[in-house]
Amino acid sequence: MGEASVKTLETRTDVSSPLVADSEARPGAADAQGGSLLSRLRSPRRPRIWFEVLLIAVSYWTYSLIRNAVPEQKAPALANADWLWKVERTLGIAVEEKVNHAVNSVTWLIVGMNYYYATLHFIVTIGVLVWIYRFHPGRYAATRLILFATTGVALLGYYFYPLAPPRLMNGQNFIDTVLVHHTWGSMASGNLKHMSNQYAAMPSMHIGWSLWCGLTIFAVASAPWARILGLLYPVATLIVIVSTANHFWLDAVGGMLCLAFGYAVSRAWYGSLPHRLPREPEHAGRHPVAAALLNRFQR
């Protein structure tokens, strides 16, 4: 009897212990069984199309509203432009005027750049968002957060450091290529200039957004040609913003710093860079915020 009891206990121990070890080995087991709200919020989920469209529309409307509501401080903006131009000359990189005149001499090229400046900034950015949403849903939220954080911190630059673009500087010979060639390549020129803050050149979100697009494509795409195009896109954008006299080189540096901040925020929130997250989300349930709101209304 005693010997049988010992064998029975040993058998039970051998059977039960792997189950305990297995539950402890699964890092998401506690969260799946009702972990903290914070951990569930930070867990990538499959995005909902209606929510994303609404979120992006409201966010861009808010961004435009705040950016254009910043007082157009003409005097300090022009003074900052003169100071920045002096810094670039000290560094030996003040070649924007030469680039502006050289490209402007080729009509078809500068007209194409004007339309590039006006359209691709939005088209490519939305296209990359849709692509990540459709084919990499597990990485979408982290990738979107980078873009949102980058754009949000840029507003601080517009508020605290008004800056005139090169084409509006006094005493310089920059060419406003939109006005000269009668294109609509910039909302800050021509008949649309009153719809946009003309002194919000620092940082350049044309660079912030295009570099976000390029790095996202390079990190996630599998086709070599797509990865190469991804890297070429921000380079082409840099040439365009300088050739059209809409930005200084250092405005682009400001855009890069904002993007670095966006990556840091996303990395801190999700614990990893977007391309290292699973392609498919691990959790397909209702978002905790949506669930909380639904439960509240059902009471």
Side-chain angles (χ1 to χ4, degrees), residues 108-132:
W108 65 267
L109 180 58
I110 194 60
V111 168
M113 286 187 175
N114 284 340
Y115 289 124
Y116 179 114
Y117 186 88
T119 59
L120 293 191
H121 181 51
F122 304 102
I123 294 173
V124 177
T125 303
I126 293 174
V128 172
L129 274 174
V130 171
W131 173 58
I132 295 294

Side-chain angles (χ1 to χ4, degrees), residues 131-154:
W131 173 58
I132 295 294
Y133 174 91
R134 175 67 179 82
F135 297 104
H136 302 269
R139 299 162 178 161
Y140 175 82
T143 305
R144 181 197 62 200
L145 180 57
I146 294 173
L147 184 64
F148 279 32
T150 298
T151 306
V153 76

Side-chain angles (χ1 to χ4, degrees), residues 6 20 23-24 45 48 51-52 55 68 75 79 82 98 109 170 180 189 193 211 266 271 273 292:
V6 171
V20 174
S23 64
E24 292 176 350
R45 294 174 178 271
R48 310 291 184 180
F51 177 77
E52 295 303 324
L55 178 63
N68 296 334
D82 290 337
K98 293 180 180 179
L109 180 58
N170 294 325
V180 170
S189 296
K193 64 182 180 181
L211 189 57
S266 182
L273 293 175

Side-chain angles (χ1 to χ4, degrees), residues 3-231:
E3 185 177 344
S5 299
V6 171
K7 289 183 178 180
T8 302
L9 290 174
E10 289 177 350
T11 303
R12 288 177 180 174
T13 303
D14 292 340
V15 172
S16 61
S17 56
L19 293 176
V20 174
D22 182 60
S23 64
E24 292 176 350
R26 289 180 295 166
D31 291 342
Q33 297 175 2
S36 68
L37 176 61
L38 180 61
S39 64
R40 285 182 287 153
L41 285 172
R42 296 172 66 180
S43 179
R45 294 174 178 271
R46 184 170 296 278
R48 310 291 184 180
I49 183 64
W50 65 268
F51 177 77
E52 295 303 324
V53 171
L54 180 63
L55 178 63
I56 291 172
V58 171
S59 298
Y60 184 74
W61 175 80
T62 304
Y63 163 76
S64 300
L65 187 67
I66 296 174
R67 179 181 185 272
N68 296 334
V70 174
E72 291 197 5
Q73 305 176 55
K74 183 177 180 178
L78 290 172
N80 288 336
D82 290 337
W83 180 84
L84 198 65
W85 186 237
K86 184 182 297 184
V87 169
E88 289 199 351
R89 282 185 294 182
T90 302
L91 296 175
I93 60 174
V95 297
E96 289 93 331
E97 188 174 313
K98 293 180 180 179
V99 173
N100 174 233
H101 282 259
V103 178
N104 184 70
S105 64
V106 184
T107 302
W108 65 267
L109 180 58
I110 194 60
V111 168
M113 286 187 175
N114 284 340
Y115 289 124
Y116 179 114
Y117 186 88
T119 59
L120 293 191
H121 181 51
F122 304 102
I123 294 173
V124 177
T125 303
I126 293 174
V128 172
L129 274 174
V130 171
W131 173 58
I132 295 294
Y133 174 91
R134 175 67 179 82
F135 297 104
H136 302 269
R139 299 162 178 161
Y140 175 82
T143 305
R144 181 197 62 200
L145 180 57
I146 294 173
L147 184 64
F148 279 32
T150 298
T151 306
V153 76
L155 293 173
L156 297 177
Y158 301 147
Y159 187 87
F160 291 106
Y161 193 78
L163 181 70
R167 58 187 173 75
L168 293 182
M169 290 180 67
N170 294 325
Q172 302 299 327
N173 196 28
F174 285 98
I175 301 171
D176 191 328
T177 59
V178 172
L179 291 179
V180 170
H181 298 280
H182 307 290
T183 57
W184 42 271
S186 172
M187 289 189 68
S189 296
N191 295 329
L192 297 177
K193 64 182 180 181
H194 299 297
M195 297 176 60
S196 178
N197 182 2
Q198 298 188 79
Y199 303 110
M202 171 66 85
S204 169
M205 279 299 93
H206 271 75
I207 291 300
W209 288 14
S210 65
L211 189 57
W212 172 85
C213 292
L215 292 177
T216 299
I217 294 171
F218 180 79
V220 175
S222 55
W225 62 267
R227 302 181 73 189
I228 293 173
L229 286 179
L231 293 181

